[in-house]
Amino acid sequence: MKSITTTTTTGGAGATNTRLIVFHQQPLHKHSSTAAAATTHHRLWLILFLSLFTFTLTLNLLTTTTTKPHTTILPSTTTMTAPRLPASLADTLVHYAASSNATDRMTRYEMDLIATTLHNCNSSPCNLLVFGLTHETMLWRGLNAGGRTVFLDENEWMISKLEKEYGDEFEAYDVQYTTTVGKLKELLNEVRERRRDECRPVQDLLFSECRLGINDLPNHLYVIPWDVILVDGPRGYEAKMPGRMSAIFTAGVLARSKRGGGATTTTTTDVFVHDFERETERVCGGEFLCDENLVEVRDSLAHYVIERMEPNSFEFCRKKGDGIVVDGNGRKRDLGKRLPPPPSSSSSRISSQ
């Protein structure tokens, strides 16, 4: 930057005045330093902004790829096997459950049958579906440790209570049944008439309009390959109660429509029906689970083994059964009659094989 200084020289009379103009060059060092500092400051802010942006973007990508939605629970497709509950521990759980004073509990003989089936489950982890919240609810959950256990019940309040008590690991859903025991024959006739369409034995129940099919469960439950299904609910000891027609029909369809086929998935499903001495359970068992698949009856517990069927199948049963099965003691049993409970000494033990 330049400045001008004017100097005037005065002479004598008649002399000429002379003006001297001097240009001063002022230093620019201060201005240049200020500009350089401002430029450096802006660059630092730019670098800091870019670094934060890159870090945030990377963190977001990592979070997106590693976080799973809570509502999407699909069956595992890996071949990893879950550790089984030791047979001695399973026996202990059954022993204490059977020692309860509850009047509506299963017998030790019945508990043993289910416990043995879970222990020897061919798939690992084992997928267990239970209709009904009962005295044995926590027993089934404990016996299937390492596997997946899902409960279905009509009592929404009880489900909420158990979820609060045991947290997210307790998986249960409420079902609103629209059937009644008093309409058993009407419902059976309807299923027989619609066996080739809405009430066929192999189908995706999520889209079914069959009155006995349960189609309002969470979507992922219909694609799980269930290994064991226990029907011990809903209530069915009076004509006005829902009865177990829908539960038994749904169990039969899920078993015959079983998906999968991997190294840890079998083509059969063990289905248990409790209170088998009652008409609804016995008739629906014969209609939708079939006498040909009934392998054993212990006290009030019927055990079926259902094979997966082809999609174009329209008959639940391949042949008409004679209603005679062999119970756990090797005795022939008429399905219409109930045998007395076996001696306590003959109660089976859980196989460690």
Side-chain angles (χ1 to χ4, degrees), residues 9-39:
T9 303
T10 305
T16 305
N17 294 333
T18 302
R19 290 185 177 183
L20 178 62
I21 301 176
V22 181
F23 293 88
H24 298 276
Q25 181 72 32
Q26 292 188 2
L28 299 175
H29 176 72
K30 183 176 181 180
H31 176 75
S32 300
S33 299
T34 303
T39 302

Side-chain angles (χ1 to χ4, degrees), residues 200-216:
R200 58 191 183 277
V202 181
Q203 60 171 306
D204 188 344
L205 285 172
L206 182 62
F207 306 102
S208 176
E209 295 297 330
C210 184
R211 287 177 65 187
L212 285 186
I214 301 176
N215 61 3
D216 57 352

Side-chain angles (χ1 to χ4, degrees), residues 123-195:
S123 298
S124 182
C126 192
N127 295 316
L128 169 64
L129 179 64
V130 181
F131 289 86
L133 294 175
T134 64
H135 171 75
E136 295 80 23
T137 292
M138 303 316 297
L139 173 65
W140 309 140
R141 185 167 174 262
L143 291 174
N144 196 34
R148 182 171 190 174
T149 305
V150 177
F151 297 93
L152 304 176
D153 194 81
E154 58 181 320
N155 192 332
E156 187 176 358
W157 177 85
M158 180 59 69
I159 291 176
S160 178
K161 179 177 181 296
L162 291 172
E163 287 177 337
K164 290 179 180 178
E165 185 173 353
Y166 296 101
D168 294 337
E169 293 183 358
F170 184 83
E171 188 175 0
Y173 305 94
D174 65 287
V175 179
Q176 301 301 318
Y177 294 97
T178 59
T179 59
T180 59
V181 174
K183 294 185 178 180
L184 172 62
K185 293 183 179 180
E186 174 188 332
L187 292 168
L188 287 178
N189 289 332
E190 181 175 329
V191 171
R192 290 165 183 165
E193 293 175 358
R194 308 189 66 182
R195 189 164 298 188

